[in-house]
Amino acid sequence: MIQKIISFLLRIRRVYIGAGLLTVAILVLIWGAVFDAPKNFPIGETINIPLGVTTEQIADILHDANVIESKKLYIGITRGFFNSNKLKAGDYFFSNQVGPLIVAYRIASGVHGVEPVTITFAEGLTIREMAEDIEAKFPHISAEEFKKRADSLEGYLFPDTYNFVPNVSAQTIVNTMHGEFQRQIKDIEFDKPLSDIVIMASILEREARQLETKQKVAGILWDRIDIGMALQVDAVFGYIFERETFHPSLEDLEIDSPYNTYKYRGLPPGPISNPGIDSLYAAANPIETGYLFYLTGNDGLMHYAQTFDGHRRNRALYLD
């Protein structure tokens, strides 16, 4: 009887050892498939993932570049562990060999593997001015190329500090800045068309500095529009002539441009700068003051008047 028991236990042991070895073998195979890199992995190279491509197209790109061996495995990992609808486009630099799990993680998380270039756009810049800054920071992007990509979005590129990979495309910069504009504006309530709010905000960005001051100026300018009075803002001339024009000359005032708010009533046909959040908020939330005139004096302060005579007195006191 004891011999039979011992024999039974030995058979069980062999079964469990066999199962254990099989499990280990399976785990080794899975580990190798998930973490091992191809022999010809492109160490030290940059792989570009274009904007808008699908998971399958990314798998094709990675396979052709020897970053992954199995397209099906990469697709399965991406769909199983990450959000395949939010993969990050851009350039990916690989300083060492990594398996498909790490590759999938990096592309899903936007871990590009290169030091980003930081660029800050001040509030109130035009697309032309932004283009000059971009060309200086990213020599492979010409100012003309950026202006071409951003041409229809004057006023809708949010001024902020951004980090881009060195080989970023002009279109990616435009998309990122416009996306940030959309994110910022969604929290602002307004009862006028968005296009009007952005145009007004672009003027406020050049006409005033503090939030409350911008709100007061917004109240004055909206009131001017309501009563059919010309806006007569000087900031538009910097946009018209592509130069700083804080004090336009009499000759400047005669320019026949739809942006000339001395000649044409109402808002200009488009934004004259890319406004920040305070200007956007002020345009949507004006403060009523009863004034119709304002100016920034040599003392750096804003001075208001209800009548043109009062405005003339302020000019004599604070400007002349």
Side-chain angles (χ1 to χ4, degrees):
M1 177 62 72
I2 294 175
Q3 261 187 330
K4 289 182 179 180
I5 293 172
I6 292 173
S7 178
F8 176 72
L9 292 174
L10 287 173
R11 284 199 302 273
I12 292 175
R13 182 178 173 221
R14 282 195 294 271
V15 169
Y16 275 100
I17 289 173
L21 290 173
L22 180 61
T23 301
V24 170
I26 292 172
L27 290 175
V28 169
L29 288 172
I30 293 174
W31 178 275
V34 172
F35 291 99
D36 278 356
K39 291 180 180 179
N40 297 323
F41 190 92
I43 296 174
E45 295 184 21
T46 299
I47 309 300
N48 178 259
I49 304 299
L51 191 69
V53 294
T54 64
T55 303
E56 289 79 6
Q57 290 170 320
I58 293 175
D60 288 336
I61 293 169
L62 297 175
H63 184 264
D64 291 344
N66 292 318
V67 177
I68 60 173
E69 284 187 348
S70 170
K71 292 188 282 187
K72 288 184 178 179
L73 178 60
Y74 169 80
I75 292 169
I77 291 172
T78 298
R79 290 178 174 167
F81 294 96
F82 307 107
N83 187 341
S84 58
N85 293 322
K86 293 187 177 181
L87 303 180
K88 307 296 192 301
D91 293 322
Y92 288 85
F93 179 78
F94 295 95
S95 59
N96 59 290
Q97 292 184 336
V98 291
L101 178 62
I102 301 301
V103 173
Y105 162 75
R106 285 183 55 178
I107 293 174
S109 306
V111 180
H112 295 274
V114 291
E115 284 296 320
V117 175
T118 300
I119 185 167
T120 299
F121 299 103
E123 296 169 341
L125 292 181
T126 62
I127 284 175
R128 175 183 60 83
E129 292 166 327
M130 287 178 171
E132 293 171 357
D133 291 344
I134 288 169
E135 186 176 66
K137 283 277 191 176
F138 303 94
H140 66 285
I141 302 177
S142 69
E144 288 304 316
E145 180 186 0
F146 181 79
K147 285 190 287 186
K148 179 181 178 181
R149 301 285 182 181
D151 181 56
S152 63
L153 292 172
E154 187 81 84
Y156 296 84
L157 300 183
F158 193 76
D160 205 346
T161 296
Y162 295 91
N163 292 309
F164 296 111
V165 294
N167 292 332
V168 66
S169 68
Q171 191 63 60
T172 297
I173 295 176
V174 171
N175 291 347
T176 301
M177 297 181 70
H178 182 53
E180 184 61 18
F181 169 86
Q182 292 175 312
R183 190 182 73 81
Q184 294 282 344
I185 199 71
K186 69 180 178 62
D187 293 326
I188 298 178
E189 295 181 3
F190 44 89
D191 56 7
K192 293 180 174 62
L194 176 60
S195 58
D196 288 357
I197 294 296
V198 175
I199 294 172
M200 178 62 77
S202 74
I203 293 172
L204 298 176
E205 197 63 71
R206 292 296 184 99
E207 289 282 302
R209 293 291 174 262
Q210 304 302 319
L211 173 58
E212 184 178 347
T213 306
K214 290 178 180 182
Q215 289 179 278
K216 290 179 178 179
V217 172
I220 291 171
L221 296 181
W222 286 126
D223 283 348
R224 287 185 183 182
I225 291 174
D226 288 343
I227 65 174
M229 177 181 173
L231 290 181
Q232 297 184 330
V233 290
D234 295 344
V236 296
F237 295 100
Y239 188 77
I240 293 170
F241 294 111
E242 296 188 349
R243 57 179 167 83
E244 292 297 347
T245 312
F246 294 110
H247 301 292
S249 65
L250 292 176
E251 184 180 356
D252 290 337
L253 297 179
E254 292 302 316
I255 183 74
D256 188 14
S257 165
Y259 284 87
N260 185 344
T261 55
Y262 282 77
K263 271 186 175 290
Y264 297 96
R265 299 176 190 275
L267 290 168
I272 64 168
S273 72
N274 289 275
I277 191 64
D278 280 358
S279 294
L280 290 164
Y281 179 84
N285 296 275
I287 294 176
E288 292 297 328
T289 61
Y291 297 121
L292 280 176
F293 300 90
Y294 66 92
L295 60 82
T296 302
N298 292 329
D299 56 3
L301 301 177
M302 193 71 77
H303 301 276
Y304 306 95
Q306 292 179 318
T307 65
F308 185 64
D309 285 341
H311 184 59
R312 289 172 60 188
R313 283 194 295 273
N314 284 341
R315 287 187 62 88
L317 287 171
Y318 301 109
L319 285 180
D320 299 338

